[in-house]
Amino acid sequence: MRLQTLHRILFAAIVMAVLAVPSVQGAEVGGINYELDATARTAAVVALDGGRSYEGRVTIPEWVAVSNRSYRVTSIAMHAFYNCPRLKAVILGDNITRVGYEAFAWCTMLQMIKVNSSLAVVEPEAFMGCSALEQVVLPDLSGWCKIDFHGTTPRCNPLYYAHQMVLKDTYVRTVQVPDGITAVKRYAFAGCNMVAVVLPPTVTHVDMLAFKDCAQLRMLNLPSTVTTLASAESFNDADLCVLENVALGNGVRVVPDYAFAGCRWLRTLVIGENVHIVGLRAFKGCASLEELALPTMLVSIGTEAFAGCNGLLSVTMSAALTSIGFRAFAGCSSLRTVTMRCHASKLKQLGDDIFEGVDGGRCVLYVPQGQVEAYRRLPQFAVFTTICEEGSPLQGDINGDGEVSVADVTALITILLDPSMASERARQSADVNNDGEISIADVTALITLVLAE
C-alpha cells in the first residue's frame, strides 16, 4: 500500500515537472532568431538578441532544427526586423503564413522582398518607412489576391513603396486576376504601377482601396458579377489618381462612400442600371466629368456625392429618385442643364445647398410635364431662373443646335425680319425674355446670354 502511494506521488511529481517546462523557448539558428513552440512544433522569426540587427540578404527557411527536433517556420513576429538599416533583401519560406505588426518597419535600405503562396495575413504597418523598396516578387497572383492586409493605411503592403510587382521574372503592367478569386481585397494592389486590371467573372466583391494610389491605372471595368463595392476613405489622393474611364456593372447596387473621390481625370463614367444608392462624396472632385446620366433605379444621392465636379455640363436624374443629400452638386459651376425625371412630390428628402455654386441664370432645369410650378415651390431648386418642361425648346437656341451662340442671334434677327420663315419650335425659343412676344428686346436679352457664355 505504501509502495503504491509512493508511485503515485512520484508520478505526480514527474507530471508537475513536465508541465513546469515552458512550451515556448528561443533559439538562434543560421543567424536568424526564433521563438519555438514545442507543443505546436512551430517557429516564429523574432528580433535578434543583444541589440543586433539583421543585415544583407535574409532567407527564411521552411523548417528549422533545434536539439534534434524540427519546427515549421510559420510566422514573422511583431518587430522582428524593426529598424534594421542594413537589411537589403528578404525571402520568405514557403510555410510563412503571417507577417506581424511593424515586422519590417523602418528597414530603410530594404530593396526587395520575395513572398510565397502561403502568406495569408499581413498586420498593420508591417512595411512602414521601407522607402527604398523596389520589387515585390511573387510566385503567383492567386496566392497574393488571398492575402488579408490589415490596418487603416496601405503601409501594410510592400507594393505601396516598391510599386513594382514581379511575377516569374516579369514586371507586371496588366494585372489579370485569376479565375476562382471571389474578392479583390483592401490594399491588394495599393501603390502598384499597373496600367490595367482585368477581373474574372468569379469576382463578386471589390474593395476600392485595393487600387489606392495606383498612379498609372487609367481604366477600371467591373463585370456584372461584382455585387458589392467597399470603401471607407478617399480612393486616391487627387494628384495620384489618373483613372479616366470607369464602368460599373449591372450587379452593383450601392456605390460606397468616397469610392472615386478625388479622381479628377475621370472623363467617362458608366453606372450600372441596378445602382440604387450613390454614397457620401462618392465622386467628389471628379473635375473632368462632363456628362452624367444616372441609372433608372437610382433612389438616393448622398451628401456631396458630385460636389466639385466643376467640368460637369449636364445631369439627368432618375424617375425613381427620392433623396438628394446636402451639397450633392455644390461647386458644379459649369452645369448648363439639369433634367429631373421624377415628380417633385417623390422627393422626400432634400438637403440644403444641393446646387450651391451653380449658375442658375445659365443652367436650365428640365422637369416632367406639369411639374414646373411644383419645382418652383421647392427651395432647393430656387437657384434656377429657368425651369422648363422636358422636351421644351431651350430659350435662345433658335437654330436648335443645343447651345446658345452668335448663330442664334443671327437666326433671331431673321425671324424678326420675316416671321414666316420660323418653325414653331424656333418661335418658342425666340421669346428669350418670356414676355409673350418676339421683339428687339429678345435680341438684347439673347446678346446678353451669349456674352455671359
Side-chain angles (χ1 to χ4, degrees), residues 114 296 309:
K114 184 176 182 180
T296 56
C309 295

Side-chain angles (χ1 to χ4, degrees), residues 3 14 48 62 74 98 113 198 214 243 283 304 327 379 383 417:
L3 185 60
I14 292 172
L48 289 170
E62 298 175 44
T74 59
R98 180 180 291 267
I113 182 165
V198 180
C214 291
L243 272 175
F283 296 95
E304 293 190 333
R327 301 185 79 249
V383 65
L417 294 174

Side-chain angles (χ1 to χ4, degrees), residues 261-280:
C263 295
R264 65 175 181 174
W265 302 112
L266 181 62
R267 299 181 186 280
T268 304
L269 173 63
V270 178
I271 302 179
E273 281 302 308
N274 291 322
V275 169
H276 284 57
I277 298 171
V278 174
L280 167 74

Side-chain angles (χ1 to χ4, degrees), residues 398 408-409 411-417 419 427 429-447:
I398 315 298
D408 295 302
V409 177
L412 179 53
I413 292 172
T414 301
I415 292 173
L416 285 173
L417 294 174
R427 281 194 292 272
S429 299
D431 184 14
V432 180
N433 63 2
N434 295 308
D435 65 354
E437 60 181 30
I438 301 173
S439 66
I440 193 66
D442 295 301
V443 176
T444 302
L446 182 55
I447 291 173

Side-chain angles (χ1 to χ4, degrees), residues 129-190:
C130 295
S131 56
L133 269 169
E134 297 175 355
Q135 295 180 1
V136 178
V137 181
L138 34 143
D140 60 76
L141 271 172
S142 182
W144 180 264
C145 290
K146 295 175 184 177
I147 298 173
D148 287 324
F149 291 101
H150 292 180
T152 57
T153 76
R155 294 191 296 257
C156 51
N157 188 338
L159 269 178
Y160 178 71
Y161 293 102
H163 309 306
Q164 299 276 11
M165 177 185 286
V166 180
L167 179 64
K168 297 178 180 178
D169 300 322
T170 301
Y171 288 107
V172 177
R173 299 292 283 160
T174 298
V175 172
Q176 187 142 8
V177 176
D179 284 336
I181 297 298
T182 59
V184 179
K185 299 181 180 183
R186 173 175 292 203
Y187 302 137
F189 303 104

Side-chain angles (χ1 to χ4, degrees), residues 47-79:
L48 289 170
D49 295 329
R52 293 173 297 146
S53 296
Y54 293 101
E55 57 185 63
R57 183 185 183 95
V58 174
T59 299
I60 300 171
E62 298 175 44
W63 296 83
V64 64
V66 178
S67 301
N68 297 322
R69 299 188 75 185
S70 294
Y71 297 83
R72 187 182 180 94
V73 183
T74 59
S75 64
I76 298 174
M78 177 178 71
H79 293 158

Side-chain angles (χ1 to χ4, degrees), residues 373-425:
E373 292 306 316
Y375 271 91
R376 287 193 192 282
R377 289 193 292 269
L378 294 175
Q380 292 85 355
F381 293 86
V383 65
F384 297 101
T385 302
T386 304
I387 303 179
C388 305
E389 291 182 349
E390 188 176 4
S392 300
L394 175 63
Q395 288 178 312
D397 180 21
I398 315 298
N399 62 8
D401 65 355
E403 59 181 31
V404 178
S405 66
V406 173
D408 295 302
V409 177
T410 302
L412 179 53
I413 292 172
T414 301
I415 292 173
L416 285 173
L417 294 174
D418 188 357
S420 65
M421 297 293 292
S423 65
E424 179 59 30
R425 191 210 62 78

